[in-house]
């Protein structure tokens, strides 16, 4: 879905890069190999901050093979997850001392991108924690477009999608149109990967072959 959202974004911008924010879980147990130890308790059961804001900057080369691009995205996500706990505000504070102008501009960009559009992958709805009890959940974020995805049924491959938006910036029909475009791109990716895996496609499928990218915005 992140790949589909990137394709939907450049369909509208005509750019070669897509930018959107993401809240990234920043709770991991330090281990020698970096893999979670199943004998350790769930880190989300520990009180305190649990996430950091990050920015996805996804390059789209329309001539790149689809599978190669998806693998690049996967590698980039692994790095984002690995370093998600890096204290962003402290890093900005330290860098600002040496170059206040450019660092300040980049911090403003980070804040601006994060407030405009976010991609969020939530834990399954049946996730239960041992020590944390949800008493009440209230949310009122000043974000233009918030994409929330979660696995409802991992075995059946069922994914639930919830989209929140700022109705001062977007109309309902615009959001519904964006959802349709993301689903179209996601469906194309899944179908192409399936055909490639079964040897049902001759030659390499390029990113730019996504039908969404070949259409005029609004059609």
């Amino acid at each position: 879905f992140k790949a589909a959202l990137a394709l939907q974004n450049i369909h509208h911008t005509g750019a070669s890069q897509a930018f959107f924010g993401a809240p990234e879980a920043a709770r991991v147990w330090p281990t020698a190999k970096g893999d979670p130890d199943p004998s350790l308790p769930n880190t989300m059961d520990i009180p305190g901050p649990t996430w950091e804001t990050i920015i996805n900057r996804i390059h789209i080369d329309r001539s790149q093979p689809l599978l190669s691009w998806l693998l690049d995205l996967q590698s980039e996500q692994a790095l984002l997850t690995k370093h998600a706990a890096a204290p962003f505000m402290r890093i900005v504070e330290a860098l600002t001392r040496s170059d206040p102008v450019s660092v300040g501009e980049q911090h403003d960009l980070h804040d601006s991108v994060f407030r405009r559009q976010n991609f969020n992958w939530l834990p399954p709805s049946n996730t239960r924690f041992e020590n944390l009890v949800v008493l009440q959940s209230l949310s009122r974020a000043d974000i233009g477009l918030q994409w929330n995805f979660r696995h409802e049924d991992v075995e059946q491959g069922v994914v639930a999608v919830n989209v929140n938006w700022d109705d001062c910036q977007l109309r309902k029909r615009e959001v519904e149109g964006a959802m349709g475009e993301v689903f179209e791109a996601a469906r194309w990716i899944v179908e192409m990967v399936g055909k490639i895996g079964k040897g049902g496609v001759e030659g390499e499928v390029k990113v730019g072959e996504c039908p969404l990218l070949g259409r005029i915005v609004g059609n």
Side-chain angles (χ1 to χ4, degrees):
F1 281 102
K2 179 187 283 190
L5 182 58
L7 293 176
Q8 188 270 346
N9 275 217
I10 69 163
H11 166 59
H12 284 266
T13 65
S16 61
Q17 299 189 64
F19 286 85
F20 45 86
E24 184 79 14
R27 286 294 188 85
V28 293
W29 289 111
T31 57
K33 296 182 179 180
D35 298 324
D37 186 340
S39 66
L40 294 172
N42 192 329
T43 55
M44 296 299 287
D45 275 331
I46 304 171
T50 60
W51 58 280
E52 287 283 354
T53 61
I54 63 170
I55 297 298
N56 287 279
R57 179 183 179 183
I58 301 175
H59 178 71
I60 296 97
D61 180 352
R62 298 184 184 221
S63 64
Q64 185 176 3
L66 176 62
L67 284 182
S68 171
W69 180 62
L70 293 175
L71 289 172
D72 286 347
L73 278 182
Q74 193 174 49
S75 298
E76 180 68 18
Q77 179 58 53
L79 289 173
L80 288 172
T81 301
K82 180 179 179 180
H83 299 289
F88 176 76
M89 296 306 296
R90 291 183 183 178
I91 293 173
V92 170
E93 181 181 350
L95 293 174
T96 302
R97 298 192 192 102
S98 60
D99 191 354
V101 176
S102 62
V103 174
E105 291 174 349
Q106 291 182 44
H107 177 258
D108 291 342
L109 175 63
H110 175 282
D111 188 59
S112 178
V113 170
F114 190 82
R115 287 180 179 275
R116 276 170 170 74
Q117 183 178 212
N118 268 337
F119 173 92
N120 191 17
W121 191 264
L122 300 171
S125 57
N126 60 355
T127 300
R128 296 291 181 269
F129 304 115
E130 294 180 4
N131 300 319
L132 292 182
V133 178
V134 178
L135 299 179
Q136 189 176 26
S137 178
L138 298 175
S139 176
R140 180 60 181 93
D142 184 16
I143 296 175
L145 193 57
Q146 173 78 38
W147 300 86
N148 294 312
F149 298 85
R150 77 161 81 239
H151 268 127
E152 286 298 311
D153 189 326
V154 177
E155 293 183 0
Q156 298 297 322
V158 178
V159 175
V161 183
N162 174 265
V163 183
N164 301 318
W165 69 94
D166 184 343
D167 57 9
C168 291
Q169 303 180 44
L170 296 167
R171 296 184 177 91
K172 181 180 178 181
R173 61 178 176 80
E174 292 176 315
V175 176
E176 290 176 341
M179 290 175 63
E181 291 169 345
V182 171
F183 293 157
E184 178 185 348
R187 186 162 47 245
W188 176 78
I189 291 172
V190 171
E191 290 176 353
M192 289 300 101
V193 170
K195 289 181 179 179
I196 293 171
K198 295 178 181 178
V201 178
E202 294 184 6
E204 292 183 324
V205 177
K206 302 295 197 309
V207 175
E209 294 178 34
C210 177
L212 181 64
L213 300 185
R215 286 210 312 271
I216 297 175
V217 175
N219 291 342

mmCIF file with all atom_site columns, all heavy atoms in Angstrom, residues 15-34:
data_model
loop_
_atom_site.group_PDB
_atom_site.id
_atom_site.type_symbol
_atom_site.label_atom_id
_atom_site.label_alt_id
_atom_site.label_comp_id
_atom_site.label_asym_id
_atom_site.label_entity_id
_atom_site.label_seq_id
_atom_site.pdbx_PDB_ins_code
_atom_site.Cartn_x
_atom_site.Cartn_y
_atom_site.Cartn_z
_atom_site.occupancy
_atom_site.B_iso_or_equiv
_atom_site.pdbx_formal_charge
_atom_site.auth_seq_id
_atom_site.auth_comp_id
_atom_site.auth_asym_id
_atom_site.auth_atom_id
_atom_site.pdbx_PDB_model_num
ATOM 1   N N   . ALA A 1 15 ? 5.811  14.473  -10.434 1.00 0.00 ? 15 ALA A N   1
ATOM 2   C CA  . ALA A 1 15 ? 7.200  14.476  -9.975  1.00 0.00 ? 15 ALA A CA  1
ATOM 3   C C   . ALA A 1 15 ? 7.789  13.070  -10.027 1.00 0.00 ? 15 ALA A C   1
ATOM 4   O O   . ALA A 1 15 ? 7.104  12.092  -10.346 1.00 0.00 ? 15 ALA A O   1
ATOM 5   C CB  . ALA A 1 15 ? 7.280  15.028  -8.557  1.00 0.00 ? 15 ALA A CB  1
ATOM 6   N N   . SER A 1 16 ? 9.070  12.977  -9.705  1.00 0.00 ? 16 SER A N   1
ATOM 7   C CA  . SER A 1 16 ? 9.738  11.674  -9.684  1.00 0.00 ? 16 SER A CA  1
ATOM 8   C C   . SER A 1 16 ? 9.930  11.167  -8.257  1.00 0.00 ? 16 SER A C   1
ATOM 9   O O   . SER A 1 16 ? 10.504 10.104  -8.054  1.00 0.00 ? 16 SER A O   1
ATOM 10  C CB  . SER A 1 16 ? 11.098 11.759  -10.384 1.00 0.00 ? 16 SER A CB  1
ATOM 11  O OG  . SER A 1 16 ? 11.942 12.692  -9.719  1.00 0.00 ? 16 SER A OG  1
ATOM 12  N N   . GLN A 1 17 ? 9.460  11.943  -7.278  1.00 0.00 ? 17 GLN A N   1
ATOM 13  C CA  . GLN A 1 17 ? 9.567  11.537  -5.881  1.00 0.00 ? 17 GLN A CA  1
ATOM 14  C C   . GLN A 1 17 ? 8.269  11.840  -5.152  1.00 0.00 ? 17 GLN A C   1
ATOM 15  O O   . GLN A 1 17 ? 7.608  12.844  -5.415  1.00 0.00 ? 17 GLN A O   1
ATOM 16  C CB  . GLN A 1 17 ? 10.731 12.253  -5.191  1.00 0.00 ? 17 GLN A CB  1
ATOM 17  C CG  . GLN A 1 17 ? 12.077 11.949  -5.808  1.00 0.00 ? 17 GLN A CG  1
ATOM 18  C CD  . GLN A 1 17 ? 13.221 12.494  -4.982  1.00 0.00 ? 17 GLN A CD  1
ATOM 19  O OE1 . GLN A 1 17 ? 13.432 12.082  -3.843  1.00 0.00 ? 17 GLN A OE1 1
ATOM 20  N NE2 . GLN A 1 17 ? 13.974 13.423  -5.549  1.00 0.00 ? 17 GLN A NE2 1
ATOM 21  N N   . ALA A 1 18 ? 7.920  10.943  -4.248  1.00 0.00 ? 18 ALA A N   1
ATOM 22  C CA  . ALA A 1 18 ? 6.730  11.132  -3.427  1.00 0.00 ? 18 ALA A CA  1
ATOM 23  C C   . ALA A 1 18 ? 7.170  11.366  -1.982  1.00 0.00 ? 18 ALA A C   1
ATOM 24  O O   . ALA A 1 18 ? 8.070  10.681  -1.485  1.00 0.00 ? 18 ALA A O   1
ATOM 25  C CB  . ALA A 1 18 ? 5.826  9.909   -3.515  1.00 0.00 ? 18 ALA A CB  1
ATOM 26  N N   . PHE A 1 19 ? 6.534  12.318  -1.335  1.00 0.00 ? 19 PHE A N   1
ATOM 27  C CA  . PHE A 1 19 ? 6.845  12.639  0.065   1.00 0.00 ? 19 PHE A CA  1
ATOM 28  C C   . PHE A 1 19 ? 5.577  12.479  0.901   1.00 0.00 ? 19 PHE A C   1
ATOM 29  O O   . PHE A 1 19 ? 4.530  13.026  0.557   1.00 0.00 ? 19 PHE A O   1
ATOM 30  C CB  . PHE A 1 19 ? 7.329  14.092  0.203   1.00 0.00 ? 19 PHE A CB  1
ATOM 31  C CG  . PHE A 1 19 ? 8.711  14.343  -0.296  1.00 0.00 ? 19 PHE A CG  1
ATOM 32  C CD1 . PHE A 1 19 ? 8.945  14.610  -1.635  1.00 0.00 ? 19 PHE A CD1 1
ATOM 33  C CD2 . PHE A 1 19 ? 9.792  14.332  0.581   1.00 0.00 ? 19 PHE A CD2 1
ATOM 34  C CE1 . PHE A 1 19 ? 10.227 14.856  -2.098  1.00 0.00 ? 19 PHE A CE1 1
ATOM 35  C CE2 . PHE A 1 19 ? 11.074 14.577  0.130   1.00 0.00 ? 19 PHE A CE2 1
ATOM 36  C CZ  . PHE A 1 19 ? 11.294 14.836  -1.214  1.00 0.00 ? 19 PHE A CZ  1
ATOM 37  N N   . PHE A 1 20 ? 5.663  11.755  1.988   1.00 0.00 ? 20 PHE A N   1
ATOM 38  C CA  . PHE A 1 20 ? 4.595  11.746  2.973   1.00 0.00 ? 20 PHE A CA  1
ATOM 39  C C   . PHE A 1 20 ? 5.153  11.261  4.302   1.00 0.00 ? 20 PHE A C   1
ATOM 40  O O   . PHE A 1 20 ? 6.159  10.556  4.361   1.00 0.00 ? 20 PHE A O   1
ATOM 41  C CB  . PHE A 1 20 ? 3.393  10.895  2.537   1.00 0.00 ? 20 PHE A CB  1
ATOM 42  C CG  . PHE A 1 20 ? 3.731  9.551   1.963   1.00 0.00 ? 20 PHE A CG  1
ATOM 43  C CD1 . PHE A 1 20 ? 3.929  8.446   2.779   1.00 0.00 ? 20 PHE A CD1 1
ATOM 44  C CD2 . PHE A 1 20 ? 3.822  9.380   0.587   1.00 0.00 ? 20 PHE A CD2 1
ATOM 45  C CE1 . PHE A 1 20 ? 4.220  7.202   2.249   1.00 0.00 ? 20 PHE A CE1 1
ATOM 46  C CE2 . PHE A 1 20 ? 4.112  8.145   0.040   1.00 0.00 ? 20 PHE A CE2 1
ATOM 47  C CZ  . PHE A 1 20 ? 4.313  7.048   0.873   1.00 0.00 ? 20 PHE A CZ  1
ATOM 48  N N   . GLY A 1 21 ? 4.498  11.674  5.365   1.00 0.00 ? 21 GLY A N   1
ATOM 49  C CA  . GLY A 1 21 ? 4.974  11.325  6.694   1.00 0.00 ? 21 GLY A CA  1
ATOM 50  C C   . GLY A 1 21 ? 4.493  9.960   7.130   1.00 0.00 ? 21 GLY A C   1
ATOM 51  O O   . GLY A 1 21 ? 3.669  9.321   6.473   1.00 0.00 ? 21 GLY A O   1
ATOM 52  N N   . ALA A 1 22 ? 5.011  9.523   8.276   1.00 0.00 ? 22 ALA A N   1
ATOM 53  C CA  . ALA A 1 22 ? 4.584  8.255   8.864   1.00 0.00 ? 22 ALA A CA  1
ATOM 54  C C   . ALA A 1 22 ? 4.968  8.227   10.334  1.00 0.00 ? 22 ALA A C   1
ATOM 55  O O   . ALA A 1 22 ? 6.081  8.602   10.686  1.00 0.00 ? 22 ALA A O   1
ATOM 56  C CB  . ALA A 1 22 ? 5.219  7.072   8.142   1.00 0.00 ? 22 ALA A CB  1
ATOM 57  N N   . PRO A 1 23 ? 4.048  7.810   11.193  1.00 0.00 ? 23 PRO A N   1
ATOM 58  C CA  . PRO A 1 23 ? 4.431  7.529   12.576  1.00 0.00 ? 23 PRO A CA  1
ATOM 59  C C   . PRO A 1 23 ? 5.033  6.126   12.618  1.00 0.00 ? 23 PRO A C   1
ATOM 60  O O   . PRO A 1 23 ? 4.414  5.178   12.151  1.00 0.00 ? 23 PRO A O   1
ATOM 61  C CB  . PRO A 1 23 ? 3.103  7.605   13.335  1.00 0.00 ? 23 PRO A CB  1
ATOM 62  C CG  . PRO A 1 23 ? 2.064  7.305   12.306  1.00 0.00 ? 23 PRO A CG  1
ATOM 63  C CD  . PRO A 1 23 ? 2.612  7.684   10.977  1.00 0.00 ? 23 PRO A CD  1
ATOM 64  N N   . GLU A 1 24 ? 6.234  6.008   13.118  1.00 0.00 ? 24 GLU A N   1
ATOM 65  C CA  . GLU A 1 24 ? 6.939  4.714   13.125  1.00 0.00 ? 24 GLU A CA  1
ATOM 66  C C   . GLU A 1 24 ? 7.118  4.236   14.561  1.00 0.00 ? 24 GLU A C   1
ATOM 67  O O   . GLU A 1 24 ? 7.574  4.980   15.427  1.00 0.00 ? 24 GLU A O   1
ATOM 68  C CB  . GLU A 1 24 ? 8.308  4.871   12.463  1.00 0.00 ? 24 GLU A CB  1
ATOM 69  C CG  . GLU A 1 24 ? 9.091  3.579   12.315  1.00 0.00 ? 24 GLU A CG  1
ATOM 70  C CD  . GLU A 1 24 ? 8.615  2.737   11.148  1.00 0.00 ? 24 GLU A CD  1
ATOM 71  O OE1 . GLU A 1 24 ? 7.869  3.255   10.294  1.00 0.00 ? 24 GLU A OE1 1
ATOM 72  O OE2 . GLU A 1 24 ? 9.008  1.568   11.078  1.00 0.00 ? 24 GLU A OE2 1
ATOM 73  N N   . ALA A 1 25 ? 6.721  2.994   14.826  1.00 0.00 ? 25 ALA A N   1
ATOM 74  C CA  . ALA A 1 25 ? 6.906  2.421   16.149  1.00 0.00 ? 25 ALA A CA  1
ATOM 75  C C   . ALA A 1 25 ? 8.392  2.438   16.498  1.00 0.00 ? 25 ALA A C   1
ATOM 76  O O   . ALA A 1 25 ? 9.230  2.013   15.714  1.00 0.00 ? 25 ALA A O   1
ATOM 77  C CB  . ALA A 1 25 ? 6.366  0.992   16.198  1.00 0.00 ? 25 ALA A CB  1
ATOM 78  N N   . ALA A 1 26 ? 8.717  2.945   17.673  1.00 0.00 ? 26 ALA A N   1
ATOM 79  C CA  . ALA A 1 26 ? 10.124 3.103   18.053  1.00 0.00 ? 26 ALA A CA  1
ATOM 80  C C   . ALA A 1 26 ? 10.460 2.318   19.304  1.00 0.00 ? 26 ALA A C   1
ATOM 81  O O   . ALA A 1 26 ? 11.294 2.717   20.096  1.00 0.00 ? 26 ALA A O   1
ATOM 82  C CB  . ALA A 1 26 ? 10.440 4.586   18.262  1.00 0.00 ? 26 ALA A CB  1
ATOM 83  N N   . ARG A 1 27 ? 9.814  1.190   19.470  1.00 0.00 ? 27 ARG A N   1
ATOM 84  C CA  . ARG A 1 27 ? 10.072 0.353   20.633  1.00 0.00 ? 27 ARG A CA  1
ATOM 85  C C   . ARG A 1 27 ? 10.677 -0.971  20.201  1.00 0.00 ? 27 ARG A C   1
ATOM 86  O O   . ARG A 1 27 ? 10.006 -1.790  19.549  1.00 0.00 ? 27 ARG A O   1
ATOM 87  C CB  . ARG A 1 27 ? 8.767  0.073   21.378  1.00 0.00 ? 27 ARG A CB  1
ATOM 88  C CG  . ARG A 1 27 ? 8.239  1.251   22.167  1.00 0.00 ? 27 ARG A CG  1
ATOM 89  C CD  . ARG A 1 27 ? 9.186  1.598   23.314  1.00 0.00 ? 27 ARG A CD  1
ATOM 90  N NE  . ARG A 1 27 ? 8.609  2.601   24.183  1.00 0.00 ? 27 ARG A NE  1
ATOM 91  C CZ  . ARG A 1 27 ? 7.785  2.327   25.180  1.00 0.00 ? 27 ARG A CZ  1
ATOM 92  N NH1 . ARG A 1 27 ? 7.424  1.097   25.432  1.00 0.00 ? 27 ARG A NH1 1
ATOM 93  N NH2 . ARG A 1 27 ? 7.314  3.297   25.929  1.00 0.00 ? 27 ARG A NH2 1
ATOM 94  N N   . VAL A 1 28 ? 11.922 -1.196  20.496  1.00 0.00 ? 28 VAL A N   1
ATOM 95  C CA  . VAL A 1 28 ? 12.562 -2.480  20.187  1.00 0.00 ? 28 VAL A CA  1
ATOM 96  C C   . VAL A 1 28 ? 13.486 -2.852  21.345  1.00 0.00 ? 28 VAL A C   1
ATOM 97  O O   . VAL A 1 28 ? 14.040 -1.991  22.023  1.00 0.00 ? 28 VAL A O   1
ATOM 98  C CB  . VAL A 1 28 ? 13.389 -2.425  18.879  1.00 0.00 ? 28 VAL A CB  1
ATOM 99  C CG1 . VAL A 1 28 ? 12.482 -2.239  17.682  1.00 0.00 ? 28 VAL A CG1 1
ATOM 100 C CG2 . VAL A 1 28 ? 14.435 -1.314  18.921  1.00 0.00 ? 28 VAL A CG2 1
ATOM 101 N N   . TRP A 1 29 ? 13.643 -4.140  21.571  1.00 0.00 ? 29 TRP A N   1
ATOM 102 C CA  . TRP A 1 29 ? 14.629 -4.616  22.538  1.00 0.00 ? 29 TRP A CA  1
ATOM 103 C C   . TRP A 1 29 ? 15.974 -4.731  21.834  1.00 0.00 ? 29 TRP A C   1
ATOM 104 O O   . TRP A 1 29 ? 16.046 -5.266  20.722  1.00 0.00 ? 29 TRP A O   1
ATOM 105 C CB  . TRP A 1 29 ? 14.235 -5.985  23.074  1.00 0.00 ? 29 TRP A CB  1
ATOM 106 C CG  . TRP A 1 29 ? 13.059 -5.987  23.997  1.00 0.00 ? 29 TRP A CG  1
ATOM 107 C CD1 . TRP A 1 29 ? 11.826 -6.511  23.737  1.00 0.00 ? 29 TRP A CD1 1
ATOM 108 C CD2 . TRP A 1 29 ? 13.007 -5.455  25.318  1.00 0.00 ? 29 TRP A CD2 1
ATOM 109 N NE1 . TRP A 1 29 ? 11.000 -6.330  24.815  1.00 0.00 ? 29 TRP A NE1 1
ATOM 110 C CE2 . TRP A 1 29 ? 11.698 -5.681  25.805  1.00 0.00 ? 29 TRP A CE2 1
ATOM 111 C CE3 . TRP A 1 29 ? 13.926 -4.799  26.130  1.00 0.00 ? 29 TRP A CE3 1
ATOM 112 C CZ2 . TRP A 1 29 ? 11.291 -5.290  27.068  1.00 0.00 ? 29 TRP A CZ2 1
ATOM 113 C CZ3 . TRP A 1 29 ? 13.518 -4.404  27.397  1.00 0.00 ? 29 TRP A CZ3 1
ATOM 114 C CH2 . TRP A 1 29 ? 12.222 -4.643  27.855  1.00 0.00 ? 29 TRP A CH2 1
ATOM 115 N N   . PRO A 1 30 ? 17.053 -4.193  22.409  1.00 0.00 ? 30 PRO A N   1
ATOM 116 C CA  . PRO A 1 30 ? 18.374 -4.343  21.775  1.00 0.00 ? 30 PRO A CA  1
ATOM 117 C C   . PRO A 1 30 ? 18.827 -5.798  21.815  1.00 0.00 ? 30 PRO A C   1
ATOM 118 O O   . PRO A 1 30 ? 18.878 -6.419  22.874  1.00 0.00 ? 30 PRO A O   1
ATOM 119 C CB  . PRO A 1 30 ? 19.283 -3.453  22.636  1.00 0.00 ? 30 PRO A CB  1
ATOM 120 C CG  . PRO A 1 30 ? 18.594 -3.376  23.963  1.00 0.00 ? 30 PRO A CG  1
ATOM 121 C CD  . PRO A 1 30 ? 17.119 -3.436  23.680  1.00 0.00 ? 30 PRO A CD  1
ATOM 122 N N   . THR A 1 31 ? 19.109 -6.350  20.655  1.00 0.00 ? 31 THR A N   1
ATOM 123 C CA  . THR A 1 31 ? 19.590 -7.730  20.563  1.00 0.00 ? 31 THR A CA  1
ATOM 124 C C   . THR A 1 31 ? 20.829 -7.772  19.680  1.00 0.00 ? 31 THR A C   1
ATOM 125 O O   . THR A 1 31 ? 21.065 -6.865  18.878  1.00 0.00 ? 31 THR A O   1
ATOM 126 C CB  . THR A 1 31 ? 18.522 -8.664  19.983  1.00 0.00 ? 31 THR A CB  1
ATOM 127 O OG1 . THR A 1 31 ? 18.114 -8.177  18.701  1.00 0.00 ? 31 THR A OG1 1
ATOM 128 C CG2 . THR A 1 31 ? 17.294 -8.736  20.882  1.00 0.00 ? 31 THR A CG2 1
ATOM 129 N N   . ALA A 1 32 ? 21.592 -8.813  19.799  1.00 0.00 ? 32 ALA A N   1
ATOM 130 C CA  . ALA A 1 32 ? 22.856 -8.929  19.068  1.00 0.00 ? 32 ALA A CA  1
ATOM 131 C C   . ALA A 1 32 ? 22.644 -8.890  17.557  1.00 0.00 ? 32 ALA A C   1
ATOM 132 O O   . ALA A 1 32 ? 23.358 -8.215  16.830  1.00 0.00 ? 32 ALA A O   1
ATOM 133 C CB  . ALA A 1 32 ? 23.572 -10.223 19.474  1.00 0.00 ? 32 ALA A CB  1
ATOM 134 N N   . LYS A 1 33 ? 21.646 -9.608  17.065  1.00 0.00 ? 33 LYS A N   1
ATOM 135 C CA  . LYS A 1 33 ? 21.416 -9.690  15.617  1.00 0.00 ? 33 LYS A CA  1
ATOM 136 C C   . LYS A 1 33 ? 20.342 -8.731  15.129  1.00 0.00 ? 33 LYS A C   1
ATOM 137 O O   . LYS A 1 33 ? 20.096 -8.641  13.941  1.00 0.00 ? 33 LYS A O   1
ATOM 138 C CB  . LYS A 1 33 ? 21.036 -11.123 15.244  1.00 0.00 ? 33 LYS A CB  1
ATOM 139 C CG  . LYS A 1 33 ? 22.139 -12.141 15.496  1.00 0.00 ? 33 LYS A CG  1
ATOM 140 C CD  . LYS A 1 33 ? 21.694 -13.524 15.042  1.00 0.00 ? 33 LYS A CD  1
ATOM 141 C CE  . LYS A 1 33 ? 22.799 -14.548 15.275  1.00 0.00 ? 33 LYS A CE  1
ATOM 142 N NZ  . LYS A 1 33 ? 22.371 -15.922 14.837  1.00 0.00 ? 33 LYS A NZ  1
ATOM 143 N N   . GLY A 1 34 ? 19.697 -8.054  16.052  1.00 0.00 ? 34 GLY A N   1
ATOM 144 C CA  . GLY A 1 34 ? 18.658 -7.125  15.655  1.00 0.00 ? 34 GLY A CA  1
ATOM 145 C C   . GLY A 1 34 ? 17.292 -7.767  15.524  1.00 0.00 ? 34 GLY A C   1
ATOM 146 O O   . GLY A 1 34 ? 16.289 -7.079  15.333  1.00 0.00 ? 34 GLY A O   1
#
